[in-house]
Amino acid sequence: MVQREARNPTYSARDHALAVLRVRNTALALALTPAAIAVVLLVVGAPQALGWSVAAVAAGVLALAGALAARILTARQSPTPTVPLPEAAAPSLHRLIGELAAQLDVPRPGAIALTPDCDSWLEEPVGPRSEAAPTLVIGSPFLWWLRVGELRALLAPVVAGTGPAAHPDIASARRCLRAWDAAVGHADGVRPA
């Protein structure tokens, strides 16, 4: 397994994404199961007391699931402050990122942005899902403290993530995890992985 992950990081990331999607789908199936049982009992002519009891339980489960789904769908994360860094403002940095992407054989990030955080990550485009590559967000302190070789070493694993980030299952799982994070209130300044 370790060798397989080392050879193909997209495969490993897709495995993890599919695990997240399985959890989501299992939760949905569990929420719908009482309703399905109630419908079957009422259609096949089971005793009405049993059928209506299961229907009442199903209605309660569906109401709870609906409230939870509404919370997840309406939850929004606190945005991390970023400033776009166009190529004209930093041609050397853009060239370095392009070279890294070419060496790693992954898509080049769609844009580069700076943040005051001591962190770097890929950020998906805001709004409806588009085919645009994610934005590479770089902590501005790294640009002050690190030499070029150190900066390359720091950013290489992040840039390598542009390949797996383009996979539909991985993108769906990331959106799902972000929604869950926001729904449980962990979005106040905390960025999901």
Side-chain angles (χ1 to χ4, degrees), residues 90-141:
S92 299
L93 181 61
H94 278 265
R95 187 169 45 255
L96 178 125
I97 300 304
E99 290 169 1
L100 270 175
Q103 289 172 352
L104 295 167
D105 194 26
V106 294
R108 184 178 178 147
I112 297 176
L114 297 180
T115 183
D117 295 351
C118 285
D119 199 359
S120 293
W121 66 88
L122 293 173
E123 197 164 272
E124 291 182 23
V126 179
R129 177 69 184 163
S130 68
E131 298 303 317
T135 297
L136 173 63
V137 180
I138 303 171
S140 55

Side-chain angles (χ1 to χ4, degrees), residues 9-69:
T10 301
Y11 187 86
S12 173
R14 185 166 183 265
D15 283 348
H16 293 282
L18 290 176
V20 168
L21 296 177
R22 276 193 296 273
V23 169
R24 181 194 66 187
N25 294 342
T26 300
L28 180 62
L30 288 174
L32 294 176
T33 298
I37 292 172
V39 169
V40 169
L41 288 175
L42 292 173
V43 168
V44 297
Q48 283 193 346
L50 176 63
W52 288 113
S53 298
V54 174
V57 169
V61 170
L62 288 176
L64 182 64
L68 182 59

